[in-house]
Amino acid sequence: MDRIYFDHAGTTPVTEHVLNGMLPYFRENYGNASSIHGTGRDARKAVENARRQVQHALCAENASEIYFTSGGSESDNWAIKGCAMAQKEKGRHIVTTQIEHHAVLHTCAWLEQQGFDVTYLPVDKEGRVTPEQVRNAIREDTILVSVMTANNEIGTLEPVRELAEAAHERHILFHTDAVQAAGAIPVDVQSSGADLLSLSAHKFGGPKGIGALYVRKGTLMDRLIHGGDQERRMRAGTENLPGIVGLGIAITDACEQLEEHALHVRSLRDRLQKGIFERIHGVLLNGPVSAEERLPGNLNLSILGLQGESVLLRLDLEGIAASSGSACTAGSLDPSHVLLAIGRDTDTAHASVRLTLGWENTETEVDEVLRILPEIVQDLRRTQGYEIH
C-alpha cells in the first residue's frame, strides 16, 4: 500500500484543480499586479477575482475587506499587532485563551514586552472558553479579544458568535484564527460577527505561503509591512500571483464540497476512533467527546505509558504520517500547551498522537492503520515493561 497520510491539520495536498489553475501564472500570465501595462492589468484582474472568491467564501460584505498575506501566522500577527498599535491610545489590554496557536500567543507575548497587558483565559476539559469568561475579563482599557474558531490540536469548536457578541457589548474588536476551520466547517463573518479573521490556503487544498486576513470595514488597523502601496497601502510587497490564484480556487472548491467532505472525513474519523478504542486499552480521547463539537477529521489521543513521538516514528516506518500536535512545534521537548490547559498531566500530554483525516483518505487506509497501530503499541509497551491493569 502507498503511504497513508493522516496529518491534514499540518497541511493538505494541493488539489489537481488548484494546481492547474495556478500553472499559467508562473510562465504565461506572470505579470506584476502593480504594473500598469496590459500584462500587469491581467495579473491585477486575477488578484481581484481571487479576492472576490474569498469574500464570497467568508460571506464578507465587500471584497475590499480581504487582504492577502503570506499565511495564517502573518494574518494572526497583523490582526493583533495592527489593532494593538492603532488603538494603543484607547487601551493596552488584550484578551485571548491559553490554547491559541503560537502565532497568537507569541504575538501577545511580544506585545507584553511593548507595554501591553494580556489576559490568557483558561479553558474547560474539552478546550472550550465561555462568553461569560470573556465578559468578566474585559476591562475599561480592553481593545481586542482573540479566540480561535477551532483548535489545531484537539479540534474543539469555540462558540465564536457568542464570544464576539460578548466583546461587542463593550464595543471591543473580536478576532478569530480560523486557519483550521476554513474549508472544514462553514465560516461566515456576518453570522459570527468577527471583525478580523485569519486563514491559510494550505489547510484546504491550496498552496503554502499564501493566506488572507479579513478586516471588517471601518476597523482601525496599522500596517504590518511597510514599503510599496500594495493591498491598498496596507501590506507592502509584490503580490504572490500564483498563490493568490490558488487560494481563490481552493477556498471556492472547499466551500462547494464542504458538506460532502465533512460527512466523509467524519465517517472515517469515527471508524478510526471506534476501532482504536476497541483494539487498544489505556487510551484517552483529548478534546470534545461529542463529534459535533470537534472538527470533522480530528482525532487526538493519549496512549498511556508511551511517548507519542515513539509511536509516530514507528508509524512513519510503516508508511503512516501522523503527528503529536501542531507542526509548528515539531521537535520541541515541551508537552503540548493545549493538553496541559485542558488538565492533562505532563506524562499524558507527552503520550499524545494526533490523527487528522482528509477528503482523499479511504476506509481501506483507516483499516490498515487499525491493523498496524495496535501492534506498535503492544510492542512498545512490552519493550518498556508497561502493563495496563
Side-chain angles (χ1 to χ4, degrees):
M1 178 177 286
D2 294 333
R3 288 188 62 84
I4 297 173
Y5 186 76
F6 278 11
D7 190 22
H8 289 80
T11 195
T12 60
V14 174
T15 69
E16 185 174 0
H17 186 219
V18 170
L19 178 60
N20 289 336
M22 292 173 62
L23 286 176
Y25 293 91
F26 286 102
R27 290 185 58 84
E28 299 164 24
N29 305 325
Y30 51 81
N32 186 322
S34 296
S35 299
I36 62 173
H37 48 63
T39 305
R41 292 196 301 273
D42 289 343
R44 173 54 56 192
K45 289 177 184 177
V47 169
E48 296 312 316
N49 180 63
R51 201 184 308 278
R52 287 190 294 272
Q53 289 175 309
V54 178
Q55 172 204 350
H56 294 317
L58 299 181
C59 302
E61 183 178 345
N62 197 291
S64 65
E65 296 174 311
I66 307 301
Y67 295 87
F68 293 115
T69 69
S70 65
S73 290
E74 183 188 328
S75 293
D76 284 343
N77 270 259
W78 188 11
I80 296 169
K81 291 178 181 177
C83 286
M85 294 306 174
Q87 301 187 73
K88 60 185 177 182
E89 300 305 320
K90 176 184 175 182
R92 289 175 171 256
H93 179 234
I94 296 169
V95 177
T96 188
T97 79
Q98 295 177 355
I99 65 166
E100 299 298 309
H101 190 276
H102 283 114
V104 169
L105 294 178
H106 289 172
T107 300
C108 288
W110 181 84
L111 283 172
E112 287 181 290
Q113 296 174 3
Q114 314 309 310
F116 287 80
D117 192 13
V118 182
T119 296
Y120 300 91
L121 296 176
V123 295
D124 64 19
K125 64 181 180 180
E126 293 190 339
R128 202 169 291 105
V129 67
T130 68
E132 195 60 30
Q133 286 178 276
V134 170
R135 289 189 180 93
N136 292 337
I138 289 175
R139 309 184 323 205
E140 289 299 320
D141 61 340
T142 303
I143 55 174
L144 178 68
V145 174
S146 179
V147 181
M148 63 196 341
T149 302
N151 186 262
N152 52 301
E153 293 193 30
I154 58 177
T156 304
L157 302 180
E158 300 292 347
V160 171
R161 180 189 301 181
E162 292 80 4
L163 297 174
E165 288 175 353
H168 292 161
E169 288 170 2
R170 299 286 295 274
H171 307 290
I172 295 165
L173 293 174
F174 182 82
H175 164 251
T176 187
D177 175 343
V179 168
Q180 288 292 332
I185 61 173
V187 175
D188 181 337
V189 295
Q190 299 303 325
S191 174
S192 70
D195 300 297
L196 304 107
L197 180 145
S198 307
L199 61 83
S200 187
H202 78 103
K203 302 295 187 179
F204 47 82
K208 298 172 182 65
I210 186 70
L213 177 64
Y214 161 78
V215 182
R216 188 178 297 277
K217 185 178 179 181
T219 301
L220 190 61
M221 285 273 291
D222 269 11
R223 63 174 67 184
L224 181 65
I225 299 177
H226 297 81
D229 292 341
Q230 292 88 355
E231 292 302 283
R232 298 178 299 287
R233 300 185 177 181
M234 289 296 289
R235 197 266 185 185
T238 301
E239 294 92 343
N240 174 2
L241 181 58
I244 289 172
V245 170
L247 168 56
I249 298 171
I251 200 166
T252 300
D253 289 351
C255 289
E256 289 177 350
Q257 302 162 8
L258 191 146
E259 185 174 354
E260 176 188 353
H261 284 169
L263 288 172
H264 175 66
V265 297
R266 184 179 290 114
S267 174
L268 294 180
R269 188 272 313 277
D270 292 347
R271 182 186 185 95
L272 180 64
Q273 179 175 328
K274 182 174 183 290
I276 287 175
F277 277 89
E278 287 176 347
R279 292 166 173 78
I280 305 174
H281 297 295
V283 177
L284 300 177
L285 175 66
N286 297 315
V289 174
S290 170
E292 300 303 317
E293 297 177 355
R294 191 169 9 130
L295 285 172
N298 179 280
L299 181 60
N300 190 305
L301 306 165
S302 286
I303 304 174
L304 302 183
L306 300 180
Q307 292 284 318
E309 298 292 339
S310 299
V311 178
L312 295 176
L313 289 172
R314 289 287 297 271
L315 285 172
D316 189 48
L317 289 173
E318 297 288 344
I320 300 167
S323 71
S324 59
S326 171
C328 299
T329 58
S332 171
L333 297 178
D334 296 329
S336 161
H337 70 285
V338 174
L339 297 186
L340 295 181
I342 66 172
R344 297 302 192 202
D345 59 38
T346 300
D347 288 342
T348 305
H350 274 306
S352 68
V353 173
R354 184 185 70 176
L355 302 158
T356 47
L357 295 91
W359 58 84
E360 81 282 7
N361 289 134
T362 65
E363 286 189 357
T364 301
E365 291 178 324
V366 168
D367 293 342
E368 181 69 2
V369 172
L370 289 175
R371 181 186 70 82
I372 293 172
L373 182 58
E375 296 175 356
I376 290 174
V377 171
Q378 183 179 25
D379 184 52
L380 288 173
R381 281 176 170 167
R382 182 173 57 249
T383 300
Q384 298 177 19
Y386 184 85
E387 297 182 6
I388 296 292
H389 301 285

